[in-house]
Amino acid sequence: MKSDVCSSVSSLIIIPCLNEEKHIEALLGKLSNELDYLNAQIVVADGGSKDATREIVARISAIDPRIVLLDNPRRIQSAAINLAVATFGRDYDYMIRIDAHGDYPADYCRRLVQEAVETQADSVVVAMQTVGFGTFQKATAFAQNSKLGNGGSKHREGAKGHWTNHGHHALMRIAAFDTVGGYDETFSHNEDAELDYRLKKAGFGIWMTDKTRMIYYPRSSVATLFRQYLGYGRGRAKNILKHGSMPSLRQLLPLLVVPIFIGAFLAVLNWAAVIPFSLWAVACVGYGFWMAVGQRNPYGPLAALSAMVMHFAWSAGFWMELLNFRGRKAS
């Protein structure tokens, strides 16, 4: 039965996905149970999957008409959300964003709706708990759950419920989403932080809940982790170039990694040039061993390697976007 709070408003649950045949059926099974308690519909916005994702969703949709498959020709997540809201949003109060490659508590959507109604927030964001399975993935999860990998970010570590400027997107009032123009589809990464900037500037409230959280599975190889954080760095630079919003201290520190790496090559002229890069590397490795001893986690040293990959890729992406922008401007 639907609770009074959850049935008093309507919610559009949106799942952007691409080639998620391994996860989509279990995810829809969990979310469809939530529909028994919510006035809601699920939209799977598929970006052109080449595996069996579309067939799986179509089969489930034929049984349960509350689940709909929507084509997302632009493929990226920001476009998927925008398209789903434009197509179905007029009939709903809230949209709930679900990542296909994650996991959620059984009452995740209900908790979000309850928080939105009780706080009257325009957006409810959540913390992320990162979980890994293979050796490298476990080490990366350990890094991302620590200050070495997240710099103390509240939406990575979690905190008591509070008003905030940014967090992992979970629920948003569709009226607020439409007012600020939805996601900027020129952003393939960091689109959530960019939208949060516009929400806050327009006077909308963002509430980080401590009543629920999502489980995130990190990349399982060095190459895929590097590409992901390269995109994050580029997205952060685009945000600064668009809005003039300066990075926080926790972002400024990894931003220096590529410059000090390049500077280390000047050691052929003066050995002291390698000191800054060496200090960063030693600090990361030392923190990793400290985590291994202090938290009795054998993945600490390997987590240091994952963190170094994240720092370097984020810094590289940021400077690539900045230099590319200046090149376009000069042209």
Side-chain angles (χ1 to χ4, degrees):
M1 293 179 63
K2 298 181 177 66
S3 70
D4 291 340
V5 171
C6 291
S7 62
S8 65
V9 294
S10 55
S11 304
L12 181 66
I13 302 171
I14 306 171
I15 310 173
C17 77
L18 179 66
N19 297 325
E20 292 289 353
E21 64 178 5
K22 294 181 180 179
H23 305 280
I24 194 66
E25 186 161 9
L27 179 61
L28 288 176
K30 178 174 287 187
L31 291 174
S32 64
N33 290 331
E34 291 246 62
L35 295 180
D36 295 333
Y37 302 91
L38 295 168
N39 179 11
Q41 180 181 28
I42 298 173
V43 176
V44 180
D46 182 79
S49 293
K50 300 302 183 183
D51 63 4
T53 299
R54 296 175 63 85
E55 289 74 14
I56 292 170
V57 176
R59 169 170 53 79
I60 296 173
S61 178
I63 300 171
D64 189 344
R66 299 173 300 176
I67 299 172
V68 176
L69 177 64
L70 178 68
D71 290 322
N72 171 29
R74 293 210 57 195
R75 297 173 68 86
I76 60 175
Q77 292 187 352
S78 55
I81 302 294
N82 287 349
L83 180 61
V85 171
T87 305
F88 301 100
R90 71 178 69 87
D91 298 323
Y92 297 91
D93 300 302
Y94 298 110
M95 70 93 167
I96 297 174
R97 174 174 173 168
I98 297 290
D99 295 324
H101 203 63
D103 200 5
Y104 302 85
D107 61 350
Y108 181 75
C109 294
R110 280 169 278 169
R111 291 286 188 180
L112 294 176
V113 172
Q114 289 167 355
E115 283 284 82
V117 173
E118 290 173 10
T119 63
Q120 289 299 295
D122 300 293
S123 175
V124 178
V125 296
V126 296
M128 297 170 59
Q129 178 185 358
T130 311
V131 175
F133 294 100
T135 299
F136 182 77
Q137 196 179 45
K138 286 181 178 179
T140 301
F142 191 30
Q144 291 179 343
N145 287 329
S146 73
K147 286 184 171 61
L148 180 64
N150 63 44
S153 170
K154 295 297 185 184
H155 80 274
R156 284 287 188 176
E157 293 189 333
K160 187 176 181 180
H162 63 281
W163 296 101
T164 187
N165 293 323
H166 175 56
H168 185 77
H169 281 190
L171 174 147
M172 197 173 299
R173 194 185 304 274
I174 288 179
F177 184 84
D178 285 339
T179 297
V180 299
Y183 287 113
D184 184 338
E185 296 182 17
T186 65
F187 281 67
S188 62
H189 295 75
N190 210 234
E191 77 280 355
D192 52 351
E194 193 280 328
L195 178 56
D196 282 345
Y197 181 90
R198 286 184 282 125
L199 282 172
K200 292 294 293 184
K201 190 174 181 180
F204 293 110
I206 302 173
W207 175 258
M208 174 166 281
T209 179
D210 59 352
K211 299 297 192 299
T212 191
R213 62 173 55 201
M214 74 159 292
I215 296 172
Y216 172 74
Y217 302 114
R219 300 300 191 266
S220 57
S221 70
V222 172
T224 54
L225 182 67
F226 185 90
R227 287 196 296 269
Q228 180 186 31
Y229 274 78
L230 192 75
Y232 286 160
R234 299 194 75 151
R236 190 67 187 88
K238 288 184 69 172
N239 216 331
I240 291 173
L241 293 169
K242 180 176 179 178
H243 297 295
S245 57
M246 294 305 296
S248 62
L249 178 61
R250 68 180 179 83
Q251 294 170 327
L252 281 172
L253 293 177
L255 183 59
L256 299 175
V257 172
V258 165
I260 65 175
F261 171 76
I262 295 172
F265 287 98
L266 297 176
V268 296
L269 302 176
N270 187 329
W271 66 269
V274 80
I275 292 177
F277 182 79
S278 299
L279 289 174
W280 166 70
V282 169
C284 289
V285 173
Y287 196 97
F289 276 99
W290 177 82
M291 289 193 299
V293 175
Q295 300 182 34
R296 298 181 179 180
N297 190 318
Y299 294 100
L302 187 54
L305 172 63
S306 294
M308 292 171 73
V309 171
M310 293 186 288
H311 293 171
F312 189 91
W314 194 95
S315 181
F318 185 97
W319 291 111
M320 285 171 60
E321 183 63 32
L322 193 64
L323 293 173
N324 186 48
F325 171 79
R326 291 192 173 184
R328 292 197 305 269
K329 190 174 181 181
S331 300

